[in-house]
Amino acid sequence: MGWGEPAAYNHVVSYVYAAKNGSDPGDVFYIRSTDSGVTFSAPFQLNSNTDPTKAQWEPNLSVCDAGTLFATWYDEAPRIAASCQPPSPSTPCYQMHSRKSTDNGVTWLADDTLSDIASPLQLLPEPGIVAAYASDYDYSSSVLNQHLVGWVDGRVTINGISQGDPFFDREPSGASTPTPTPTPMSCSVTSAGCGSVVFTPPTTFIVNVSDPVDTSTVQASDFTVNNIPSNLPPTLSNGNTTIAFHYTTSPVTTRGLQTMHIPAGAFNCGGGPVLEFTCMFFYSVPRPTPTPRCRPTICPRPDCPCT
């Protein structure tokens, strides 16, 4: 299910992969790096079918010299039965879907079908191979101005049984649309408290977000100090770019380094999930002021009379 493929062009690294998405058995996602793979954008879901009972799997990706990307994957969107069971030549199970970007992953055209029919689930008679496999280890590539794609489906029957046969198609590098869908970019978190020294255990912690936060996705437990989650509703300000996380009792209890943390994807901001945030600050326990002692040799003193 998690199979994927990378592609790179002009220091832009692209990657498609499949992953379980909540109760959905699998969706296809795209991530993009503009710094040769050091950091990546937020995941963007390529498949448009959101039925949580239908899977999308084994995506592939190619890039051509024109800077276009072409992603393909197996998609259960046409399935009408409760599940795919081989051999059922008359029952559609999956179809190859695709999506193209004409600007090296900045935006994407609409989800489209690639194969011309919906395939039943084939039954493979070869020994040593799982009988119901719908292909494995597919890769796409490009030559000159063409994206080349191969896949397996069961449209051909022998003795009433769907066979797994390879098929091929190609997609030109051109074509565009006036309404592409942008790839969402991640947002980041900073805090003036990072690297600071505090002398009183705080109960409120303020962070700043690079883009406005989707308020419906923020909750108290998104933020922790020393692995202790905030337990009061957060408050937002500055156009939803500043979040104050609150505690009933300060999570800072012992002298030394303290750790603030927000996990990646804890909430959404700027059209994509937040990047992971971790920073440290120091709690210094104030030392008590010593009580002056009387010394007869320097008495009397207003603050220390001799007796």
Short mmCIF file of all heavy atoms in Angstrom, two decimals, residues 2 8 51 66 83 96 124 127 135 147 175 189 192 194 235 306:
data_model
loop_
_atom_site.label_atom_id
_atom_site.label_comp_id
_atom_site.label_asym_id
_atom_site.label_seq_id
_atom_site.Cartn_x
_atom_site.Cartn_y
_atom_site.Cartn_z
N GLY A 2 1.99 1.24 0.72
CA GLY A 2 2.79 2.44 0.83
C GLY A 2 3.75 2.67 -0.32
O GLY A 2 4.58 3.56 -0.27
N ALA A 8 12.72 13.90 -10.01
CA ALA A 8 13.44 15.14 -9.73
C ALA A 8 13.72 15.89 -11.03
O ALA A 8 14.07 15.28 -12.05
CB ALA A 8 14.75 14.84 -9.01
N ASP A 51 -14.50 7.95 -0.94
CA ASP A 51 -15.26 6.87 -0.32
C ASP A 51 -14.33 6.11 0.62
O ASP A 51 -13.34 5.52 0.17
CB ASP A 51 -15.81 5.95 -1.40
CG ASP A 51 -16.73 4.86 -0.86
OD1 ASP A 51 -16.60 4.52 0.35
OD2 ASP A 51 -17.56 4.34 -1.62
N ALA A 66 10.09 18.92 -20.12
CA ALA A 66 9.23 20.11 -20.17
C ALA A 66 8.82 20.56 -18.78
O ALA A 66 8.16 21.59 -18.63
CB ALA A 66 7.99 19.83 -21.01
N SER A 83 -16.83 -5.90 -2.19
CA SER A 83 -15.39 -6.11 -2.25
C SER A 83 -15.06 -6.80 -3.56
O SER A 83 -15.94 -7.32 -4.25
CB SER A 83 -14.90 -6.95 -1.06
OG SER A 83 -15.47 -8.24 -1.10
N MET A 96 -7.18 2.42 -13.70
CA MET A 96 -6.01 3.28 -13.54
C MET A 96 -6.43 4.74 -13.65
O MET A 96 -7.09 5.15 -14.61
CB MET A 96 -4.96 2.97 -14.61
CG MET A 96 -4.36 1.58 -14.50
SD MET A 96 -3.60 1.26 -12.89
CE MET A 96 -2.23 2.41 -12.93
N LEU A 124 -4.42 -14.97 -10.63
CA LEU A 124 -3.14 -15.36 -11.21
C LEU A 124 -2.88 -16.84 -10.94
O LEU A 124 -2.83 -17.26 -9.78
CB LEU A 124 -2.02 -14.51 -10.62
CG LEU A 124 -2.18 -12.99 -10.79
CD1 LEU A 124 -1.04 -12.26 -10.10
CD2 LEU A 124 -2.24 -12.62 -12.25
N PRO A 127 2.41 -20.28 -9.83
CA PRO A 127 2.79 -20.69 -8.47
C PRO A 127 3.76 -19.69 -7.84
O PRO A 127 4.56 -19.06 -8.53
CB PRO A 127 3.48 -22.05 -8.70
CG PRO A 127 3.96 -21.99 -10.12
CD PRO A 127 2.94 -21.18 -10.86
N SER A 135 -0.93 -6.45 -9.68
CA SER A 135 0.40 -5.96 -10.03
C SER A 135 1.24 -5.69 -8.78
O SER A 135 0.79 -5.84 -7.65
CB SER A 135 0.31 -4.70 -10.88
OG SER A 135 1.60 -4.32 -11.32
N HIS A 147 5.10 10.79 -21.35
CA HIS A 147 5.10 10.03 -20.10
C HIS A 147 4.64 8.62 -20.42
O HIS A 147 3.58 8.44 -21.05
CB HIS A 147 4.15 10.67 -19.08
CG HIS A 147 4.58 12.03 -18.63
ND1 HIS A 147 5.52 12.24 -17.64
CD2 HIS A 147 4.19 13.27 -19.05
CE1 HIS A 147 5.68 13.54 -17.46
NE2 HIS A 147 4.89 14.19 -18.31
N ALA A 175 -0.51 20.18 -22.60
CA ALA A 175 -1.88 20.37 -22.09
C ALA A 175 -1.88 21.07 -20.75
O ALA A 175 -0.99 20.89 -19.93
CB ALA A 175 -2.64 19.07 -21.99
N VAL A 189 5.91 27.21 13.00
CA VAL A 189 5.65 27.82 14.31
C VAL A 189 6.95 28.36 14.88
O VAL A 189 8.01 27.73 14.75
CB VAL A 189 5.04 26.78 15.28
CG1 VAL A 189 4.90 27.36 16.68
CG2 VAL A 189 3.69 26.31 14.77
N ALA A 192 8.84 33.37 20.93
CA ALA A 192 9.86 34.23 21.57
C ALA A 192 10.42 33.57 22.81
O ALA A 192 11.48 33.96 23.30
CB ALA A 192 9.23 35.58 21.92
N CYS A 194 11.59 30.57 23.01
CA CYS A 194 12.68 29.63 22.70
C CYS A 194 14.02 30.22 23.12
O CYS A 194 14.37 31.34 22.73
CB CYS A 194 12.68 29.31 21.21
SG CYS A 194 11.20 28.48 20.62
N THR A 235 -6.33 30.25 23.10
CA THR A 235 -6.89 31.50 22.58
C THR A 235 -6.06 31.97 21.41
O THR A 235 -4.83 31.86 21.42
CB THR A 235 -6.93 32.58 23.68
OG1 THR A 235 -5.62 32.73 24.25
CG2 THR A 235 -7.90 32.18 24.79
N CYS A 306 23.85 45.99 67.57
CA CYS A 306 24.60 45.08 68.46
C CYS A 306 23.85 44.98 69.80
O CYS A 306 23.27 45.95 70.27
CB CYS A 306 26.01 45.60 68.71
SG CYS A 306 27.02 45.55 67.21
#
